[in-house]
Amino acid sequence: MMKNILSLVLLFLVTSVFAQIPQAEKEAMLDFYESTNGPHWIRKWNLKKPVAEWHGVTVENNHVVEIDLFQNNLQGPLPTTLGNLKHLKVLNLALNNITGELPESIVALSDMKVFRIEVNRLKGELPEQMGQMASLEELTMFNNFLAGAIPESIGELKNLKVLNLSSNNLRGEIPGSIGELAQLENLGLFDNTLFGEIPTDIGKLSNLKELVLANNHLGGDVPTEIGQLAGLEILQIQNNRFNSVENLYKMDANQFLVFDFDRADDEKFKDINFSKTRMADTKFDDEEEDDNNNNKN
């Protein structure tokens, strides 16, 4: 009896360690490796070993659920077959040299919760159907060359907590559908060429802590609805083209860590300090963690 139990345990361990993923997923992984110049990565994949042993890859229940290749010298475009990784929950490709456009197939990854591809060289427009990525909680794509408008479907990402599209070439108006992101805590759209008025629906974001819209072409009056954001700690809307910021003077400055806007000459308001904002520090989180891990090894 004991021998049978030990055999089952051993079989389970062997199966777990050498778990094989479906052929479509393995082909997608190989396409990804080839397309992003895998042989020149800092930490390469050993293609002779099971996928579960590849650097930065997590496999659960015989499916790839995580790819974390932060700052790993990836070069080149993302393949369209990336959309075949249907069970992917985390994709962290930040601080690389990924080029080309986001493949339309990315919207098929409806289980993905974290998508980080900041500080790369992506161009082109955001897929119109991004709202299909219904499980997304964190979407960070700052410091790329993305163009075009923010798709209206962004408002369908009901679980989104962090949205940072800053430092790109995005144009057009901020879609009113952003007001539907009830869970949103951080919204960063600074350093683009967005125009039009701040949508009044932004006042519905009761969980919002950071709102960073600086360095755009936004105009009109700053809406009174911003005053409804009682949890807001960081507000940066300077270097825009507002007709009036009068409504901001009605807000309680004591609730803010950073509160900056043009013509804010009242001494009770704090000056901008980008180095103190969590939004600005986001791109360094993994780098510090990676350095700590290297020091331990």
Side-chain angles (χ1 to χ4, degrees), residues 112-125:
M112 193 150 66
K113 295 183 177 181
V114 176
F115 184 23
R116 297 187 56 184
I117 197 165
E118 65 266 25
V119 194
N120 278 281
R121 300 181 61 81
L122 284 174
K123 63 179 182 178
E125 300 185 5

Side-chain angles (χ1 to χ4, degrees), residues 7-62:
S7 297
L8 289 173
V9 171
L10 181 61
L11 179 62
F12 173 77
L13 290 174
V14 170
T15 302
S16 299
V17 171
F18 296 100
Q20 293 298 309
I21 63 176
Q23 186 63 26
E25 291 188 28
K26 189 165 187 177
E27 289 176 359
M29 296 291 280
L30 293 173
D31 287 347
F32 175 77
Y33 185 76
E34 181 179 354
S35 185
T36 57
N37 205 10
H40 289 88
W41 291 0
I42 296 172
R43 297 181 181 179
K44 305 171 182 63
W45 286 346
N46 187 340
L47 304 184
K48 296 180 180 179
K49 291 186 176 182
V51 176
E53 296 184 19
W54 294 359
H55 168 70
V57 177
T58 301
V59 175
E60 293 179 357
N61 300 321
N62 295 344

Side-chain angles (χ1 to χ4, degrees), residues 172-174 193-199 213 216-223 226 237 239-245 262-263:
E173 299 185 2
I174 300 174
T193 52
L194 300 172
F195 54 79
E197 299 183 4
I198 297 176
L213 306 177
N216 279 287
H217 297 160
L218 298 171
D221 296 347
V222 174
I226 283 187
I237 61 171
N239 297 329
N240 279 288
R241 300 174 178 176
F242 297 116
N243 296 333
S244 170
V245 294
D262 295 330
R263 289 174 282 172

Side-chain angles (χ1 to χ4, degrees), residues 139-254:
L139 176 59
T140 55
M141 308 178 76
F142 58 86
N143 281 86
N144 279 283
F145 299 95
L146 297 169
I150 300 172
E152 189 74 26
S153 68
I154 205 86
E156 298 172 21
L157 304 178
K158 305 297 185 182
N159 295 304
L160 206 59
K161 295 180 180 179
V162 177
L163 175 60
N164 194 339
L165 304 176
S166 300
S167 297
N168 280 288
N169 298 319
L170 297 173
R171 291 183 55 82
E173 299 185 2
I174 300 174
S177 62
I178 276 185
E180 302 302 316
L181 304 179
Q183 305 302 317
L184 199 64
E185 298 177 2
N186 301 341
L187 175 58
L189 301 176
F190 73 85
D191 197 19
N192 282 287
T193 52
L194 300 172
F195 54 79
E197 299 183 4
I198 297 176
T200 57
D201 283 345
I202 213 160
K204 295 160 59 177
L205 303 178
S206 58
N207 290 309
L208 201 64
K209 298 178 181 178
E210 302 184 18
L211 177 59
V212 187
L213 306 177
N215 300 348
N216 279 287
H217 297 160
L218 298 171
D221 296 347
V222 174
T224 57
E225 285 78 6
I226 283 187
Q228 300 172 14
L229 304 176
L232 201 61
E233 299 174 352
I234 294 173
L235 176 64
Q236 296 173 321
I237 61 171
Q238 72 281 5
N239 297 329
N240 279 288
R241 300 174 178 176
F242 297 116
N243 296 333
S244 170
V245 294
E246 185 67 27
N247 289 321
L248 295 181
Y249 286 95
K250 302 174 185 178
M251 301 181 72
D252 180 9
N254 293 323

Side-chain angles (χ1 to χ4, degrees), residues 70 95 116 142 280-289:
F70 170 84
L95 271 76
R116 297 187 56 184
F142 58 86
D281 286 344
T282 302
K283 61 185 175 184
F284 302 116
D285 292 345
D286 284 336
E287 188 169 13
E288 292 173 357
E289 182 178 343

